[in-house]
Amino acid sequence: MIVKEVAFGNLNEAFIEKRFENKTNIIFSNDNNRGKTLLMQSLIYSIGYESIFPNSFNPKKYYFYSKIEFNNSIFEFLRKGNSILVINNENFNVFSSISEFKYFFDKEIFKLPKIDKNGEQKLVDLSLFYELFFLGQDNRNTSNLIVKGQNNKVDFLNMIYSLLGVSISTSNKYDIENLKKEKAIVEIKIKAETRKIKVIKQNPQIASFISSASNNLDFKNTSNQLKELHLNIAELRKQRNREENRKIKLENLITELSSLNRTLNEGKVKCLDCGSNKIIFSNEDFEFEVSNNYVKKNIIESIKNNISIKFEIIDELNQNIHREQIQINKLLETSTPDIKNYILFQDEITDSKDVDKIIAELQKELDEITNKIQNNEIKTSSNKDLQKDILSNIIIQIKNYYSTIDPQGLLIFEDLFTKTGETYSGSEGQEYYFSKILSLNKILQHKFPIIIDSFREGELSSSKELLMLNEFIKLNKQVILTSTLKDEEYDADKYYDIENLNVIDYSMLADSKILQSDFVPEFKKIIDKFNVEK
């Protein structure tokens, strides 16, 4: 991923930055409030991140654009609200939600990792994924994520493991738990049958009582599991029905848009009030004139792609429902018989030899269940060991980077995050994030740029800053940093003498006024590429 261009604004004010290079870039100014943070947040926001904009800035009023190279292919993104438009090789896509865009990102740009969420393997959220290489200026918390949403730091760690091909398979979240429950039930059955051998000839009523007691225990366990499974299936069906409803609406929309050909060929359609013959397609954030055949064709193709994504989502939900239904059948198959079956079974018992046969079959079943549990536990244990190794390697790298920039530093790293309530502040926080982001880059070998807003915040010393810059440059990949200089540093042309550093000066921008009318004509051309009705 190489950032080529970033822009944001509306028809009254805008800003465009296209001076990025495929090396270490530093955007600086001699004072705060020059718009560096807005630019960084706009970049990552344009591709699906839930950016933390300053309170004085209302993102709902603006469009956010980025031009980015992925695997030698150029993608252009335009976001407004929760909608994202994408242009790639003359292909045009419209996404009305970040969730829809995420599936496109996974399919067409980069295969996103999956993590366990509520017992199912799900694609990670883009905001979680981007925190591997992006660090904003605000809301920093060394003990947790910057943007949490539905995620937490355990999800972040699981995402790292998944990227490295190490994760615990959870195709069915009940597998291990239910195997153990099945084992306990079979053991109870064996004990009950063993006791029957001693009492069956003396008092058949006692044997019946034992069976009934066993059945009651099994019934309670089974009932609780069945209740949970049915609730899960109901929720999955709701999700599937919502997606099916959206798919049908998209299919109907294609029919309506396609029917415009005949309408326009046989006669004009115009507004009764204003006389305009423009026909507008819109979602919550964008409008397009579909009386233009080229625009309409691209809109229809985009909707077809979204329908294809909906099919995949619905198919995945159907598979999840099917797995839950299979689990219900397994529960019903392995449960102890009901009372009626016990009565019938009791009539068939004539002596202890029959019970011996039952115990032998139960013991065979127990052995099979025990083997399944052991195999699962070996797999789980192995994965946990691999996960520990990965985390250990990351911590070692963090310590190495930290000692490079601060040989006398006193920070002790025991985990990827600090303990809850323990947050590094000032320069310590900067050193921690620097070491963490570069360590993840080294371990994962990912192809995304390192993007850090205000990388020297917290009175970081000049010597440490230069050491950091040297490490960034050595990565030999795109890095985008921002920095605010002191007057004496600015006057000394601090960054200009550093080799392989692309320097971008924002000092000439007005205080708190990065958006300017001068950029509007060029920004309109960007909007026009997406055929948006302004």
Short mmCIF file of all heavy atoms in Angstrom, two decimals, residues 425-470:
data_model
loop_
_atom_site.label_atom_id
_atom_site.label_comp_id
_atom_site.label_asym_id
_atom_site.label_seq_id
_atom_site.Cartn_x
_atom_site.Cartn_y
_atom_site.Cartn_z
N SER A 425 3.08 7.99 29.69
CA SER A 425 2.77 9.36 29.28
C SER A 425 4.03 10.03 28.74
O SER A 425 5.15 9.54 28.93
CB SER A 425 2.22 10.15 30.47
OG SER A 425 3.16 10.17 31.54
N GLY A 426 3.82 11.19 28.09
CA GLY A 426 4.95 11.96 27.59
C GLY A 426 5.80 11.18 26.60
O GLY A 426 5.31 10.41 25.79
N SER A 427 7.10 11.38 26.71
CA SER A 427 8.03 10.73 25.78
C SER A 427 8.02 9.21 25.94
O SER A 427 8.28 8.48 24.97
CB SER A 427 9.45 11.26 26.01
OG SER A 427 9.89 10.96 27.32
N GLU A 428 7.71 8.71 27.14
CA GLU A 428 7.64 7.26 27.33
C GLU A 428 6.57 6.63 26.44
O GLU A 428 6.76 5.56 25.87
CB GLU A 428 7.34 6.93 28.80
CG GLU A 428 8.52 7.14 29.74
CD GLU A 428 8.20 6.68 31.16
OE1 GLU A 428 7.00 6.53 31.46
OE2 GLU A 428 9.14 6.47 31.94
N GLY A 429 5.44 7.33 26.32
CA GLY A 429 4.37 6.84 25.46
C GLY A 429 4.81 6.79 24.01
O GLY A 429 4.52 5.82 23.28
N GLN A 430 5.54 7.82 23.55
CA GLN A 430 6.02 7.84 22.18
C GLN A 430 7.01 6.70 21.93
O GLN A 430 6.98 6.06 20.87
CB GLN A 430 6.70 9.18 21.89
CG GLN A 430 5.74 10.35 21.85
CD GLN A 430 4.64 10.14 20.83
OE1 GLN A 430 3.50 9.83 21.17
NE2 GLN A 430 4.97 10.28 19.57
N GLU A 431 7.88 6.46 22.89
CA GLU A 431 8.86 5.38 22.74
C GLU A 431 8.17 4.02 22.69
O GLU A 431 8.57 3.13 21.94
CB GLU A 431 9.87 5.43 23.89
CG GLU A 431 10.76 6.68 23.86
CD GLU A 431 11.62 6.80 25.11
OE1 GLU A 431 12.01 5.76 25.66
OE2 GLU A 431 11.89 7.93 25.53
N TYR A 432 7.13 3.86 23.51
CA TYR A 432 6.37 2.62 23.52
C TYR A 432 5.70 2.38 22.16
O TYR A 432 5.82 1.28 21.58
CB TYR A 432 5.32 2.66 24.63
CG TYR A 432 4.18 1.68 24.44
CD1 TYR A 432 4.32 0.33 24.77
CD2 TYR A 432 2.95 2.10 23.92
CE1 TYR A 432 3.28 -0.57 24.58
CE2 TYR A 432 1.90 1.20 23.74
CZ TYR A 432 2.07 -0.13 24.07
OH TYR A 432 1.04 -1.01 23.88
N TYR A 433 4.98 3.38 21.65
CA TYR A 433 4.27 3.21 20.39
C TYR A 433 5.23 3.01 19.23
O TYR A 433 4.98 2.20 18.32
CB TYR A 433 3.36 4.42 20.12
CG TYR A 433 2.06 4.37 20.88
CD1 TYR A 433 1.76 5.33 21.84
CD2 TYR A 433 1.13 3.35 20.65
CE1 TYR A 433 0.56 5.28 22.54
CE2 TYR A 433 -0.06 3.31 21.35
CZ TYR A 433 -0.35 4.27 22.29
OH TYR A 433 -1.53 4.22 22.99
N PHE A 434 6.34 3.75 19.23
CA PHE A 434 7.36 3.56 18.20
C PHE A 434 7.84 2.11 18.19
O PHE A 434 7.88 1.44 17.15
CB PHE A 434 8.53 4.51 18.45
CG PHE A 434 9.78 4.14 17.70
CD1 PHE A 434 9.95 4.53 16.39
CD2 PHE A 434 10.79 3.42 18.32
CE1 PHE A 434 11.11 4.18 15.69
CE2 PHE A 434 11.94 3.07 17.65
CZ PHE A 434 12.11 3.45 16.33
N SER A 435 8.19 1.61 19.36
CA SER A 435 8.73 0.24 19.47
C SER A 435 7.67 -0.79 19.10
O SER A 435 7.99 -1.81 18.44
CB SER A 435 9.22 -0.01 20.90
OG SER A 435 10.20 0.95 21.27
N LYS A 436 6.44 -0.56 19.49
CA LYS A 436 5.35 -1.50 19.21
C LYS A 436 5.04 -1.57 17.71
O LYS A 436 4.97 -2.68 17.13
CB LYS A 436 4.10 -1.08 19.99
CG LYS A 436 2.85 -1.88 19.66
CD LYS A 436 1.65 -1.31 20.42
CE LYS A 436 0.35 -1.92 19.98
NZ LYS A 436 -0.81 -1.32 20.67
N ILE A 437 4.85 -0.43 17.06
CA ILE A 437 4.47 -0.41 15.65
C ILE A 437 5.57 -0.97 14.77
O ILE A 437 5.32 -1.74 13.84
CB ILE A 437 4.07 1.02 15.22
CG1 ILE A 437 2.71 1.38 15.83
CG2 ILE A 437 4.00 1.14 13.70
CD1 ILE A 437 2.21 2.77 15.48
N LEU A 438 6.83 -0.64 15.06
CA LEU A 438 7.93 -1.17 14.26
C LEU A 438 8.14 -2.66 14.51
O LEU A 438 8.53 -3.39 13.59
CB LEU A 438 9.22 -0.38 14.53
CG LEU A 438 9.47 0.75 13.51
CD1 LEU A 438 8.43 1.86 13.68
CD2 LEU A 438 10.87 1.30 13.64
N SER A 439 7.89 -3.11 15.73
CA SER A 439 8.01 -4.54 16.03
C SER A 439 6.96 -5.34 15.28
O SER A 439 7.25 -6.40 14.72
CB SER A 439 7.87 -4.78 17.53
OG SER A 439 8.92 -4.15 18.24
N LEU A 440 5.72 -4.85 15.25
CA LEU A 440 4.66 -5.52 14.50
C LEU A 440 4.99 -5.54 13.01
O LEU A 440 4.73 -6.54 12.33
CB LEU A 440 3.32 -4.83 14.75
CG LEU A 440 2.74 -4.98 16.15
CD1 LEU A 440 1.48 -4.14 16.32
CD2 LEU A 440 2.43 -6.44 16.46
N ASN A 441 5.55 -4.45 12.52
CA ASN A 441 5.95 -4.40 11.11
C ASN A 441 7.01 -5.46 10.81
O ASN A 441 6.96 -6.13 9.79
CB ASN A 441 6.49 -3.01 10.79
CG ASN A 441 7.01 -2.91 9.36
OD1 ASN A 441 6.25 -2.87 8.41
ND2 ASN A 441 8.33 -2.88 9.22
N LYS A 442 7.95 -5.63 11.72
CA LYS A 442 9.03 -6.59 11.50
C LYS A 442 8.54 -8.02 11.61
O LYS A 442 8.92 -8.89 10.80
CB LYS A 442 10.15 -6.35 12.51
CG LYS A 442 11.39 -7.19 12.25
CD LYS A 442 12.57 -6.72 13.07
CE LYS A 442 13.84 -7.49 12.71
NZ LYS A 442 15.03 -6.96 13.42
N ILE A 443 7.70 -8.31 12.59
CA ILE A 443 7.22 -9.68 12.79
C ILE A 443 6.24 -10.08 11.68
O ILE A 443 6.30 -11.18 11.14
CB ILE A 443 6.54 -9.82 14.16
CG1 ILE A 443 7.56 -9.64 15.30
CG2 ILE A 443 5.84 -11.18 14.28
CD1 ILE A 443 8.60 -10.72 15.40
N LEU A 444 5.33 -9.16 11.34
CA LEU A 444 4.30 -9.49 10.35
C LEU A 444 4.77 -9.31 8.92
O LEU A 444 4.18 -9.89 7.99
CB LEU A 444 3.06 -8.61 10.59
CG LEU A 444 2.33 -8.80 11.92
CD1 LEU A 444 1.24 -7.75 12.08
CD2 LEU A 444 1.73 -10.19 12.01
N GLN A 445 5.80 -8.46 8.73
CA GLN A 445 6.28 -8.17 7.37
C GLN A 445 5.13 -7.70 6.48
O GLN A 445 5.01 -8.10 5.31
CB GLN A 445 6.94 -9.41 6.77
CG GLN A 445 8.23 -9.85 7.46
CD GLN A 445 9.38 -8.86 7.23
OE1 GLN A 445 9.78 -8.61 6.10
NE2 GLN A 445 9.91 -8.31 8.31
N HIS A 446 4.26 -6.85 7.03
CA HIS A 446 3.11 -6.39 6.25
C HIS A 446 3.52 -5.32 5.22
O HIS A 446 4.57 -4.71 5.33
CB HIS A 446 2.00 -5.86 7.17
CG HIS A 446 2.35 -4.65 7.97
ND1 HIS A 446 2.53 -3.40 7.41
CD2 HIS A 446 2.54 -4.47 9.31
CE1 HIS A 446 2.79 -2.51 8.34
NE2 HIS A 446 2.82 -3.15 9.51
N LYS A 447 2.65 -5.14 4.24
CA LYS A 447 2.95 -4.25 3.11
C LYS A 447 2.26 -2.89 3.25
O LYS A 447 2.13 -2.16 2.27
CB LYS A 447 2.50 -4.92 1.80
CG LYS A 447 3.11 -6.29 1.55
CD LYS A 447 4.65 -6.24 1.52
CE LYS A 447 5.23 -7.62 1.24
NZ LYS A 447 6.72 -7.60 1.26
N PHE A 448 1.85 -2.54 4.45
CA PHE A 448 1.17 -1.27 4.66
C PHE A 448 2.15 -0.23 5.18
O PHE A 448 3.13 -0.56 5.86
CB PHE A 448 0.01 -1.45 5.65
CG PHE A 448 -1.10 -2.30 5.11
CD1 PHE A 448 -1.06 -3.68 5.19
CD2 PHE A 448 -2.19 -1.71 4.49
CE1 PHE A 448 -2.07 -4.47 4.67
CE2 PHE A 448 -3.22 -2.48 3.96
CZ PHE A 448 -3.15 -3.86 4.05
N PRO A 449 1.91 1.05 4.89
CA PRO A 449 2.83 2.09 5.38
C PRO A 449 2.68 2.28 6.88
O PRO A 449 1.66 1.93 7.47
CB PRO A 449 2.36 3.34 4.61
CG PRO A 449 0.92 3.09 4.32
CD PRO A 449 0.80 1.60 4.10
N ILE A 450 3.70 2.83 7.49
CA ILE A 450 3.62 3.23 8.90
C ILE A 450 3.12 4.67 8.91
O ILE A 450 3.72 5.55 8.28
CB ILE A 450 4.99 3.14 9.59
CG1 ILE A 450 5.58 1.73 9.48
CG2 ILE A 450 4.88 3.58 11.05
CD1 ILE A 450 4.78 0.66 10.16
N ILE A 451 2.03 4.93 9.62
CA ILE A 451 1.42 6.27 9.65
C ILE A 451 1.27 6.69 11.10
O ILE A 451 0.50 6.09 11.85
CB ILE A 451 0.06 6.27 8.94
CG1 ILE A 451 0.19 5.72 7.51
CG2 ILE A 451 -0.53 7.68 8.90
CD1 ILE A 451 -1.15 5.52 6.80
N ILE A 452 2.01 7.72 11.50
CA ILE A 452 1.98 8.18 12.90
C ILE A 452 1.81 9.69 12.94
O ILE A 452 2.65 10.44 12.43
CB ILE A 452 3.26 7.79 13.67
CG1 ILE A 452 3.48 6.27 13.60
CG2 ILE A 452 3.18 8.25 15.12
CD1 ILE A 452 4.75 5.81 14.30
N ASP A 453 0.74 10.13 13.54
CA ASP A 453 0.50 11.56 13.72
C ASP A 453 1.18 12.02 15.00
O ASP A 453 1.06 11.38 16.05
CB ASP A 453 -1.01 11.81 13.80
CG ASP A 453 -1.36 13.29 13.81
OD1 ASP A 453 -0.51 14.10 13.42
OD2 ASP A 453 -2.50 13.62 14.20
N SER A 454 1.91 13.13 14.91
CA SER A 454 2.62 13.70 16.06
C SER A 454 3.56 12.67 16.69
O SER A 454 3.43 12.31 17.86
CB SER A 454 1.60 14.21 17.10
OG SER A 454 2.23 14.98 18.08
N PHE A 455 4.52 12.21 15.90
CA PHE A 455 5.38 11.10 16.34
C PHE A 455 6.38 11.50 17.43
O PHE A 455 6.95 10.64 18.09
CB PHE A 455 6.12 10.51 15.13
CG PHE A 455 7.44 11.16 14.82
CD1 PHE A 455 8.63 10.57 15.20
CD2 PHE A 455 7.48 12.39 14.16
CE1 PHE A 455 9.85 11.16 14.91
CE2 PHE A 455 8.69 12.99 13.87
CZ PHE A 455 9.88 12.38 14.24
N ARG A 456 6.59 12.81 17.66
CA ARG A 456 7.56 13.23 18.67
C ARG A 456 6.88 13.96 19.83
O ARG A 456 7.51 14.70 20.58
CB ARG A 456 8.63 14.14 18.05
CG ARG A 456 8.04 15.28 17.24
CD ARG A 456 9.12 16.25 16.80
NE ARG A 456 9.24 17.33 17.76
CZ ARG A 456 10.28 18.18 17.79
NH1 ARG A 456 11.27 18.05 16.96
NH2 ARG A 456 10.31 19.16 18.67
N GLU A 457 5.58 13.73 19.98
CA GLU A 457 4.82 14.35 21.06
C GLU A 457 5.38 13.94 22.42
O GLU A 457 5.90 12.85 22.59
CB GLU A 457 3.35 13.94 20.96
CG GLU A 457 2.42 14.65 21.95
CD GLU A 457 0.99 14.15 21.82
OE1 GLU A 457 0.76 12.98 22.17
OE2 GLU A 457 0.13 14.89 21.35
N GLY A 458 5.25 14.79 23.41
CA GLY A 458 5.67 14.47 24.77
C GLY A 458 7.10 14.84 25.06
O GLY A 458 7.79 14.19 25.84
N GLU A 459 7.57 15.92 24.43
CA GLU A 459 8.93 16.43 24.69
C GLU A 459 9.99 15.37 24.44
O GLU A 459 10.92 15.19 25.23
CB GLU A 459 9.04 16.96 26.13
CG GLU A 459 8.12 18.13 26.44
CD GLU A 459 8.38 19.35 25.55
OE1 GLU A 459 9.55 19.63 25.25
OE2 GLU A 459 7.41 19.98 25.11
N LEU A 460 9.85 14.65 23.35
CA LEU A 460 10.86 13.66 22.97
C LEU A 460 12.16 14.40 22.62
O LEU A 460 12.15 15.38 21.88
CB LEU A 460 10.37 12.86 21.76
CG LEU A 460 11.18 11.64 21.37
CD1 LEU A 460 10.97 10.52 22.38
CD2 LEU A 460 10.77 11.17 19.97
N SER A 461 13.26 13.94 23.15
CA SER A 461 14.53 14.62 22.91
C SER A 461 14.93 14.53 21.44
O SER A 461 14.55 13.59 20.73
CB SER A 461 15.63 14.01 23.78
OG SER A 461 15.93 12.70 23.35
N SER A 462 15.71 15.51 21.00
CA SER A 462 16.15 15.55 19.60
C SER A 462 16.99 14.33 19.23
O SER A 462 16.89 13.80 18.12
CB SER A 462 16.95 16.83 19.33
OG SER A 462 16.12 17.97 19.46
N SER A 463 17.81 13.87 20.17
CA SER A 463 18.66 12.71 19.87
C SER A 463 17.82 11.46 19.65
O SER A 463 18.07 10.67 18.73
CB SER A 463 19.65 12.48 21.02
OG SER A 463 18.96 12.24 22.24
N LYS A 464 16.78 11.26 20.49
CA LYS A 464 15.89 10.11 20.31
C LYS A 464 15.08 10.24 19.02
O LYS A 464 14.84 9.25 18.32
CB LYS A 464 14.96 9.96 21.51
CG LYS A 464 15.65 9.55 22.80
CD LYS A 464 14.68 9.48 23.96
CE LYS A 464 15.39 9.11 25.26
NZ LYS A 464 14.46 9.09 26.42
N GLU A 465 14.67 11.46 18.72
CA GLU A 465 13.90 11.69 17.50
C GLU A 465 14.71 11.30 16.27
O GLU A 465 14.21 10.65 15.35
CB GLU A 465 13.49 13.16 17.41
CG GLU A 465 12.73 13.49 16.14
CD GLU A 465 12.53 14.99 15.97
OE1 GLU A 465 13.05 15.76 16.79
OE2 GLU A 465 11.85 15.37 15.01
N LEU A 466 15.97 11.69 16.23
CA LEU A 466 16.83 11.37 15.09
C LEU A 466 17.06 9.86 15.00
O LEU A 466 17.12 9.30 13.89
CB LEU A 466 18.16 12.11 15.22
CG LEU A 466 18.09 13.63 15.04
CD1 LEU A 466 19.45 14.27 15.31
CD2 LEU A 466 17.61 13.99 13.63
N LEU A 467 17.18 9.21 16.13
CA LEU A 467 17.33 7.75 16.13
C LEU A 467 16.07 7.09 15.56
O LEU A 467 16.15 6.12 14.80
CB LEU A 467 17.61 7.24 17.54
CG LEU A 467 19.00 7.54 18.11
CD1 LEU A 467 19.05 7.18 19.60
CD2 LEU A 467 20.06 6.75 17.35
N MET A 468 14.90 7.61 15.95
CA MET A 468 13.64 7.08 15.42
C MET A 468 13.59 7.28 13.90
O MET A 468 13.25 6.35 13.15
CB MET A 468 12.44 7.79 16.07
CG MET A 468 12.13 7.34 17.48
SD MET A 468 10.63 8.19 18.07
CE MET A 468 10.47 7.48 19.72
N LEU A 469 13.90 8.49 13.44
CA LEU A 469 13.85 8.77 12.01
C LEU A 469 14.78 7.83 11.24
O LEU A 469 14.44 7.35 10.15
CB LEU A 469 14.23 10.23 11.75
CG LEU A 469 13.16 11.27 12.11
CD1 LEU A 469 13.71 12.68 11.97
CD2 LEU A 469 11.92 11.10 11.24
N ASN A 470 15.93 7.57 11.81
CA ASN A 470 16.89 6.67 11.16
C ASN A 470 16.29 5.26 11.03
O ASN A 470 16.46 4.60 9.99
CB ASN A 470 18.18 6.61 11.97
CG ASN A 470 19.22 5.74 11.31
OD1 ASN A 470 19.57 5.94 10.15
ND2 ASN A 470 19.75 4.78 12.04
#
